Amino acid sequence: MTESVKLIYGDKEYQLPVIMGSEKEKAIDISKLRQKTGLITLDAGFANTGSCTSSITFMDGEKGILRYRGIPVEQLAEKSTFAETAYLLIHGRLPRRKDLTDFSVLLNDNSLVHEDMRAFYESYPRSSHPMGILSSMVNALRSFYPELHNLQEEINMTVTRLLSKVRTLAAMSYKISRGHKVVYPRPDLTYCANFLNMMFATPVRPYEIDPDVVKALNVFWILHADHEQNCSTSAVRVVGSARVNLYAAISAGIAALWGPLHGGANQAVVEMLTEIVENKNMKQMIERAKDKNDSFRLMGFGHRVYKTYDPRMKIMKKMCDTLLEKLNITDPLLDAAIELEQIALNDDYFIEHNLYPNVDFYSGIVLRTIGIPTNMFTVMFAIGRLPGWIAQWKESIDDPNWKLSRPRQIYTGPKENRYVPIEER
Ligand code: SDX
């Protein structure tokens, strides 16, 4: 028997069905609410509103659980690779060996970008933020790779081109911004090793592939690969619901991720920690974060869903320690981050607000250790999140119930009035 809730409005009673997911989450189905009652719901930031059903990623914010297609992210970080996890998210199952080999060959064969795209980079101001460049370049891919008539081929080729070329676009952006020679992808390198080589190899100094750094990058991108209906994924779904091409929908997701409250937080954390180390003002920063009259937020802390530790943060912190030790690097930002975490977690304000470190709190320190420049940290997040955006977009277009996203509103503006000629104003 379907569970329901009773809504009493005026002198009428309405029954609204309750649906339950595979992990026993429940939602009131309000798809017929306005038709039955004339009412709509209002929920700023959609904190209490589900936009869809999805079988891709499960999060439990109270228990700190994150699973991709049912597999705990801890197991994928330990045992999988980013390419294999991307396959899992997009195709809904772990690849067999032949699937993975074919997938890797496809990614390799589609890793180049049209040579004319270099002109786009050359005309960007050198001070441009790499996220703005990436969003434009991904949108431009449609112009270089026009739509294929066969829908399934169009989807498969666009997905492969995006997954493979996004690395090349990001590395090109880095090289050209520094006036360095662009390094091409190599067929003998894995997904992550290829990116590192494109970023750091030069004609006079080959890049030495360190397996621990490659492992760290695989784990970094696995941890960022999907996160159910976060801001940027919702942007991809909303823009995709207008049936625009996938490149444009992903470009919108990149733009949303750029924000400092979302993916831009990893860059903001490192800038905040750098300021704390330079000015020795950790206590003042914590007080500012607690001050309701101050818009400053402690970057890398808090989460809309996690009200306990972000499971990704724990893995990221462990990776920080391993990598710094392996490369024999000491980073004052890590020491500051550990101290800040300890102070905040023992402070009543953060305890009462359920504010814990999130994925962005240590991720910037991992990227610094690998040698990624700070202004490319969110680009690294975007490359990691790409398979999740693609999987969520694919799920939405395959959903028979999916429709154009078009929320309603409650109008609070002036009542009807008349146009006043300028002479009378
Ligand atoms: C990501 O959604 C996802 O899944 C995102 C993500 C993903 O993988 O896609 O996990 C990636 O975006 C992680 C979050 C990165 N952002 C930051 O680290 C920026 C700092 N964090 C905050 O801006 C904030 O915590 C948010 C935006 C992340 C979440 O905020 P909510 O859920 O909208 O909560 P809120 O702003 O309504 O805050 C609730 C209360 C407020 O105090 P009160 O008005 O109730 O007294 O908590 C306070 C806030 O002032 N608060 C903070 C705080 N975060 C929330 N106070 C100080 N510092 C903070 N970081």
Side-chain angles (χ1 to χ4, degrees):
M1 201 262 248
T2 311
E3 207 181 347
S4 66
V5 293
K6 185 192 308 181
L7 173 68
I8 298 170
Y9 178 56
D11 57 0
K12 290 188 177 170
E13 283 191 7
Y14 305 90
Q15 293 294 329
L16 296 172
V18 171
I19 69 160
M20 184 165 72
S22 48
E23 288 291 344
K24 309 282 187 279
E25 296 165 302
K26 294 183 177 181
I28 303 168
D29 179 347
I30 58 169
S31 50
K32 299 278 188 299
L33 179 69
R34 189 168 188 277
Q35 181 188 327
K36 285 182 173 177
T37 70
L39 295 169
I40 65 169
T41 58
L42 197 58
D43 183 22
F46 309 117
N48 305 282
T49 300
S51 62
C52 61
T53 58
S54 177
S55 61
I56 299 170
T57 290
F58 173 67
M59 289 169 66
D60 182 318
E62 281 63 40
K63 296 178 185 157
I65 292 173
L66 176 60
R67 300 184 198 130
Y68 299 155
R69 300 289 188 180
I71 302 175
V73 73
E74 294 83 354
Q75 291 180 28
L76 291 166
E78 186 192 339
K79 299 172 180 163
S80 187
T81 63
F82 177 59
E84 184 180 68
T85 299
Y87 187 101
L88 168 71
L89 285 167
I90 293 168
H91 296 283
R93 62 173 175 81
L94 287 169
R96 290 177 290 272
R97 194 173 299 282
K98 180 171 181 326
D99 300 322
L100 196 55
T101 307
D102 294 350
F103 188 50
S104 301
V105 166
L106 264 179
L107 290 175
N108 175 67
D109 292 351
N110 287 279
S111 53
L112 293 171
V113 296
H114 197 292
E115 287 294 322
D116 289 358
M117 290 195 90
R118 291 185 58 129
F120 284 38
Y121 286 98
E122 308 293 359
S123 52
Y124 254 98
R126 283 282 181 265
S127 59
S128 305
H129 195 287
M131 281 296 275
I133 297 173
L134 185 66
S135 182
S136 308
M137 291 301 160
V138 165
N139 217 341
L141 286 172
R142 171 84 305 165
S143 310
F144 288 93
Y145 305 99
E147 187 165 4
L148 300 171
H149 296 301
N150 173 294
L151 178 62
Q152 206 45 59
E153 194 190 355
E154 157 68 10
I155 291 175
N156 293 340
M157 279 313 296
T158 303
V159 165
T160 307
R161 283 173 173 147
L162 271 166
L163 284 171
S164 190
K165 295 180 194 301
V166 73
R167 290 172 296 174
T168 312
L169 291 171
M172 271 176 83
S173 165
Y174 173 67
K175 286 295 199 190
I176 290 172
S177 71
R178 280 158 176 70
H180 292 181
K181 185 173 168 49
V182 169
V183 174
Y184 283 77
R186 282 175 30 185
D188 60 318
L189 295 178
T190 59
Y191 188 95
C192 292
N194 231 329
F195 172 76
L196 291 167
N197 191 62
M198 285 192 277
M199 282 287 288
F200 300 124
T202 69
V204 293
R205 181 182 292 275
Y207 176 71
E208 191 185 328
I209 309 278
D210 180 328
D212 290 309
V213 174
V214 173
K215 172 65 179 169
L217 185 54
N218 270 290
V219 172
F220 180 92
W221 277 341
I222 287 170
L223 295 178
H224 286 83
D226 193 50
H227 218 231
E228 55 134 277
Q229 307 312 314
N230 59 84
C231 177
S232 52
T233 298
S234 299
V236 171
R237 278 183 173 259
V238 168
V239 169
S241 76
R243 294 289 181 259
V244 76
N245 68 80
L246 178 55
Y247 297 113
I250 296 296
S251 174
I254 295 169
L257 189 72
W258 191 357
L261 294 190
H262 189 14
N266 55 17
Q267 176 175 342
V269 166
V270 164
E271 288 164 352
M272 175 186 75
L273 292 173
T274 303
E275 186 190 334
I276 286 174
V277 168
E278 284 170 358
N279 304 332
K280 298 187 178 19
N281 61 351
M282 187 175 292
K283 290 218 181 312
Q284 293 91 314
M285 296 295 262
I286 290 175
E287 289 314 307
R288 280 192 58 197
K290 293 157 60 176
D291 180 356
K292 294 209 64 57
N293 301 317
D294 191 328
S295 62
F296 173 73
R297 288 275 203 279
L298 205 58
M299 290 289 113
F301 260 74
H303 199 276
R304 175 63 59 80
V305 176
Y306 291 125
K307 299 310 171 189
T308 182
Y309 271 99
D310 182 333
R312 301 168 296 178
M313 187 288 289
K314 292 180 182 174
I315 302 168
M316 201 68 82
K317 178 153 181 323
K318 190 161 159 273
M319 201 160 66
C320 254
D321 296 337
T322 311
L323 208 51
L324 285 166
E325 190 187 340
K326 152 79 189 193
L327 301 178
N328 196 22
I329 298 172
T330 51
D331 187 342
L333 296 196
L334 179 61
D335 302 333
I338 293 169
E339 185 185 353
L340 185 58
E341 181 187 347
Q342 286 316 309
I343 295 174
L345 293 182
N346 291 294
D347 182 299
D348 290 345
Y349 173 89
F350 293 90
I351 295 167
E352 284 155 16
H353 285 86
N354 293 313
L355 301 176
Y356 290 82
N358 58 48
V359 67
D360 293 305
F361 192 60
Y362 287 102
S363 63
I365 298 170
V366 171
L367 294 176
R368 267 163 63 93
T369 308
I370 292 174
I372 306 291
T374 306
N375 72 350
M376 278 195 67
F377 284 3
T378 312
V379 167
M380 297 299 284
F381 191 147
I383 297 172
R385 184 52 51 87
L386 185 56
W389 285 334
I390 290 170
Q392 300 273 351
W393 170 84
K394 213 160 159 285
E395 183 175 69
S396 70
I397 63 164
D398 292 341
D399 178 354
N401 301 317
W402 187 255
K403 48 176 49 174
L404 175 71
S405 293
R406 203 279 186 214
R408 304 302 297 260
Q409 66 162 25
I410 294 295
Y411 175 70
T412 56
K415 290 191 178 302
E416 186 175 358
N417 54 34
R418 68 181 182 82
Y419 178 81
V420 178
I422 194 160
E423 304 77 27
E424 297 174 24
R425 290 177 203 159

